[in-house]
Amino acid sequence: MEHVTINPWAALAYLVAGVCFILALRGLSSPTSSQRGNRFGMIGMTIAVVTTLVTHAPWLVTNYAEDSYVARLDTVTLIEILAAIGIGATIGIVTARRIAMTAMPQLVAAFHSLVGMAAVLVAGAAFLNPEAFGIAAAGQIFTQSRIEMGLGVAIGAITFSGSVIAFLKLNGNMGGKPIMLPGRHVINLAVLAGILGLVAYFTQDQSPWVFWTITGLSFAIGFLLIIPIGGADMPVVVSMLNSYSGWAAAAMGFTLHNTAMIITGALVGSSGAILSYIMCRAMNRSFISVIAGGFGGDSGGGAAAAATDRPWKRGSAEDAAFLMSQAEQVIIVPGYGMAVAQAQHVLREMADKLKEEGVRVKYAIHPVAGRMPGHMNVLLAEANVPYDEVFELEDINSEFAQTDVAFIIGANDVVNPAAKTDKSSPIYGMPVFDVNKAKTVLFIKRSMGGVGYAGVDNDVFYQDNTMMLLADAKKMVEEIVKALG
Amino acid sequence: MDFISILSIFVMAVFVGYYVVWSVTPALHTPLMAVTNAISSVIIVGALIASAAIGIGGTGATSKWLGLLAVVLASINIFGGFAVTARMLAMYKKKDRPAAGHK
């Protein structure tokens, strides 16, 4: 079989870049080493880009002739490339500086779509000019490269269109409600089979129509796969697309025989896969059922309507302030509602006031709180909440029994005891916080009518020791801060 | 390099990824996604090769322009991804340190 030849020094440099990327992820094992890790990532990327440019410097490209397609950097080309990088850098840095932390899930989805599109463009460029990539002889692309290229363009296109839909859903341009097409499973399987069949046929026939049909069908399937998935499952979708963007990079790495791309693709691919698994486990859903879609719209309704005549207690900000200032320990359970109301900063003020009074304050974060993995942690960090006051589900759940006040803000399903007791509940089996064991539960909620994403009623509302604080989360916390004096 | 050596690197890297990612603290899962995004844009290497190629004839020129467009997209991701990760990571502070000025 024909081989792509790569300069050994360049191969070594790409390997070093790959190792830098491993160290970048390794750094994230603790907040103290994380910034160093990020710098390793930047170093790795610089090495990869510089190596590519240097290996195409005019004096190193020897097999070049005026009429060939071989890649060789002349001055004009170099200026074009630097301009392209400059444009991208400006857009990227400005966006990164301006974006609100609450909008991080949308931003990540948008970034995923760019990786997907870049993969499609690179695969397209390689298809149109295979000699430049050293993957063809006499106009015939190597068989192995055709498979890699076909898979690369397919995964890239799926990542792109899937991420665009995820972005529109997360950004609110498109409703969170699942859109269910009739017979969608059959359509999806047929399209997938069509893509795989065409990739196989592509090894026999490298006509443009085969390549571009693979691309078109893949764009379509990415779109079809994500539209039936509801808002509540978006954390899984975002992680899954993260994984796909990695596999797309890996497939292109196979085409170009580039170790940096292969190592990175494998890292990112497994990272996204693990995050999807963690999210699914935290919701007690199987990956297949998430992919099949249809779960969770913008808000439920039916289940709650019947239950609202049950008696419940309403409290005021003053009551809440009094209860918490008398407490020994308060655990705050934030959810997506806190992010929507932008209540994280005033929440930290409240915690500071309580700490002045000698109250121990802790934060409890559920893995699926927010719209992406770790979203709540970032929002609390933004509000200057020290990360050692923030705890994961399994580390803090046993503490509720010895806690005076559980303060729930913008969360609902993750504190619903039905997940443990009611086998018929759609959230049955999901790990939840045992807030009902705390002496008092303070539950901030907009109104009694609405229910969580899963559309199920919550028994915690009607407990004797629960006080409902019905208001906008931010306003309510502001009033509590005032009442604390 | 032949296919088997490349495949070996890939399989080993998947295992490395598996263990490294499980060691990431859940509090940093959002920065993890942002940084993986940035590094997966190493696909810019392919974009650079396409851009560096001389554009002869119709397909050659198209290939070059696709490459340059991919350089722009990947650069948005690289610079944006690393910058937003750095911004997030700078927010994570310990208890004893005084709160910095951000909001």
PDB file of all heavy atoms in Angstrom, chain A residues 181-192:
ATOM      1  N   LEU A 181     -40.772  13.895  13.916  1.00  0.00           N
ATOM      2  CA  LEU A 181     -41.249  13.587  12.568  1.00  0.00           C
ATOM      3  C   LEU A 181     -41.826  12.179  12.577  1.00  0.00           C
ATOM      4  O   LEU A 181     -41.303  11.299  13.255  1.00  0.00           O
ATOM      5  CB  LEU A 181     -40.089  13.641  11.568  1.00  0.00           C
ATOM      6  CG  LEU A 181     -39.436  14.998  11.348  1.00  0.00           C
ATOM      7  CD1 LEU A 181     -38.280  14.857  10.394  1.00  0.00           C
ATOM      8  CD2 LEU A 181     -40.437  15.995  10.825  1.00  0.00           C
ATOM      9  N   PRO A 182     -42.887  11.953  11.813  1.00  0.00           N
ATOM     10  CA  PRO A 182     -43.395  10.581  11.749  1.00  0.00           C
ATOM     11  C   PRO A 182     -42.368   9.669  11.064  1.00  0.00           C
ATOM     12  O   PRO A 182     -41.748  10.057  10.081  1.00  0.00           O
ATOM     13  CB  PRO A 182     -44.674  10.723  10.918  1.00  0.00           C
ATOM     14  CG  PRO A 182     -44.572  12.035  10.231  1.00  0.00           C
ATOM     15  CD  PRO A 182     -43.667  12.902  11.049  1.00  0.00           C
ATOM     16  N   GLY A 183     -42.192   8.496  11.621  1.00  0.00           N
ATOM     17  CA  GLY A 183     -41.285   7.512  11.023  1.00  0.00           C
ATOM     18  C   GLY A 183     -39.837   7.939  11.044  1.00  0.00           C
ATOM     19  O   GLY A 183     -39.030   7.531  10.218  1.00  0.00           O
ATOM     20  N   ARG A 184     -39.478   8.788  12.051  1.00  0.00           N
ATOM     21  CA  ARG A 184     -38.130   9.351  12.018  1.00  0.00           C
ATOM     22  C   ARG A 184     -37.045   8.300  12.211  1.00  0.00           C
ATOM     23  O   ARG A 184     -35.957   8.430  11.665  1.00  0.00           O
ATOM     24  CB  ARG A 184     -37.998  10.473  13.056  1.00  0.00           C
ATOM     25  CG  ARG A 184     -38.121  10.041  14.473  1.00  0.00           C
ATOM     26  CD  ARG A 184     -38.621  11.177  15.343  1.00  0.00           C
ATOM     27  NE  ARG A 184     -39.329  10.623  16.475  1.00  0.00           N
ATOM     28  CZ  ARG A 184     -38.724  10.240  17.582  1.00  0.00           C
ATOM     29  NH1 ARG A 184     -37.434  10.339  17.696  1.00  0.00           N
ATOM     30  NH2 ARG A 184     -39.429   9.748  18.584  1.00  0.00           N
ATOM     31  N   HIS A 185     -37.341   7.245  13.010  1.00  0.00           N
ATOM     32  CA  HIS A 185     -36.298   6.230  13.198  1.00  0.00           C
ATOM     33  C   HIS A 185     -35.962   5.535  11.893  1.00  0.00           C
ATOM     34  O   HIS A 185     -34.801   5.255  11.597  1.00  0.00           O
ATOM     35  CB  HIS A 185     -36.734   5.212  14.253  1.00  0.00           C
ATOM     36  CG  HIS A 185     -36.875   5.819  15.613  1.00  0.00           C
ATOM     37  ND1 HIS A 185     -35.874   6.571  16.177  1.00  0.00           N
ATOM     38  CD2 HIS A 185     -37.903   5.820  16.498  1.00  0.00           C
ATOM     39  CE1 HIS A 185     -36.276   7.002  17.369  1.00  0.00           C
ATOM     40  NE2 HIS A 185     -37.506   6.570  17.579  1.00  0.00           N
ATOM     41  N   VAL A 186     -37.012   5.259  11.105  1.00  0.00           N
ATOM     42  CA  VAL A 186     -36.794   4.601   9.812  1.00  0.00           C
ATOM     43  C   VAL A 186     -35.998   5.519   8.891  1.00  0.00           C
ATOM     44  O   VAL A 186     -35.017   5.098   8.258  1.00  0.00           O
ATOM     45  CB  VAL A 186     -38.154   4.224   9.166  1.00  0.00           C
ATOM     46  CG1 VAL A 186     -37.932   3.529   7.831  1.00  0.00           C
ATOM     47  CG2 VAL A 186     -38.966   3.354  10.112  1.00  0.00           C
ATOM     48  N   ILE A 187     -36.412   6.798   8.837  1.00  0.00           N
ATOM     49  CA  ILE A 187     -35.711   7.761   7.975  1.00  0.00           C
ATOM     50  C   ILE A 187     -34.245   7.846   8.382  1.00  0.00           C
ATOM     51  O   ILE A 187     -33.336   7.735   7.556  1.00  0.00           O
ATOM     52  CB  ILE A 187     -36.353   9.178   8.094  1.00  0.00           C
ATOM     53  CG1 ILE A 187     -37.816   9.136   7.672  1.00  0.00           C
ATOM     54  CG2 ILE A 187     -35.572  10.201   7.265  1.00  0.00           C
ATOM     55  CD1 ILE A 187     -38.558  10.448   7.887  1.00  0.00           C
ATOM     56  N   ASN A 188     -34.002   8.011   9.704  1.00  0.00           N
ATOM     57  CA  ASN A 188     -32.623   8.164  10.179  1.00  0.00           C
ATOM     58  C   ASN A 188     -31.768   6.962   9.832  1.00  0.00           C
ATOM     59  O   ASN A 188     -30.639   7.101   9.368  1.00  0.00           O
ATOM     60  CB  ASN A 188     -32.605   8.378  11.694  1.00  0.00           C
ATOM     61  CG  ASN A 188     -33.166   9.735  12.084  1.00  0.00           C
ATOM     62  OD1 ASN A 188     -33.438  10.566  11.223  1.00  0.00           O
ATOM     63  ND2 ASN A 188     -33.358   9.962  13.362  1.00  0.00           N
ATOM     64  N   LEU A 189     -32.323   5.761  10.087  1.00  0.00           N
ATOM     65  CA  LEU A 189     -31.538   4.551   9.803  1.00  0.00           C
ATOM     66  C   LEU A 189     -31.255   4.442   8.313  1.00  0.00           C
ATOM     67  O   LEU A 189     -30.148   4.069   7.917  1.00  0.00           O
ATOM     68  CB  LEU A 189     -32.277   3.307  10.311  1.00  0.00           C
ATOM     69  CG  LEU A 189     -32.276   3.170  11.838  1.00  0.00           C
ATOM     70  CD1 LEU A 189     -33.102   1.963  12.274  1.00  0.00           C
ATOM     71  CD2 LEU A 189     -30.841   3.045  12.377  1.00  0.00           C
ATOM     72  N   ALA A 190     -32.253   4.792   7.493  1.00  0.00           N
ATOM     73  CA  ALA A 190     -32.063   4.717   6.039  1.00  0.00           C
ATOM     74  C   ALA A 190     -30.957   5.676   5.605  1.00  0.00           C
ATOM     75  O   ALA A 190     -30.082   5.314   4.804  1.00  0.00           O
ATOM     76  CB  ALA A 190     -33.369   5.043   5.318  1.00  0.00           C
ATOM     77  N   VAL A 191     -30.991   6.914   6.146  1.00  0.00           N
ATOM     78  CA  VAL A 191     -29.965   7.888   5.759  1.00  0.00           C
ATOM     79  C   VAL A 191     -28.584   7.410   6.210  1.00  0.00           C
ATOM     80  O   VAL A 191     -27.606   7.471   5.452  1.00  0.00           O
ATOM     81  CB  VAL A 191     -30.276   9.286   6.351  1.00  0.00           C
ATOM     82  CG1 VAL A 191     -29.176  10.272   6.022  1.00  0.00           C
ATOM     83  CG2 VAL A 191     -31.608   9.797   5.820  1.00  0.00           C
ATOM     84  N   LEU A 192     -28.509   6.884   7.454  1.00  0.00           N
ATOM     85  CA  LEU A 192     -27.219   6.387   7.957  1.00  0.00           C
ATOM     86  C   LEU A 192     -26.687   5.260   7.083  1.00  0.00           C
ATOM     87  O   LEU A 192     -25.506   5.225   6.719  1.00  0.00           O
ATOM     88  CB  LEU A 192     -27.370   5.883   9.399  1.00  0.00           C
ATOM     89  CG  LEU A 192     -27.253   6.943  10.496  1.00  0.00           C
ATOM     90  CD1 LEU A 192     -27.462   6.312  11.868  1.00  0.00           C
ATOM     91  CD2 LEU A 192     -25.887   7.624  10.439  1.00  0.00           C
TER      92      LEU A 192
END
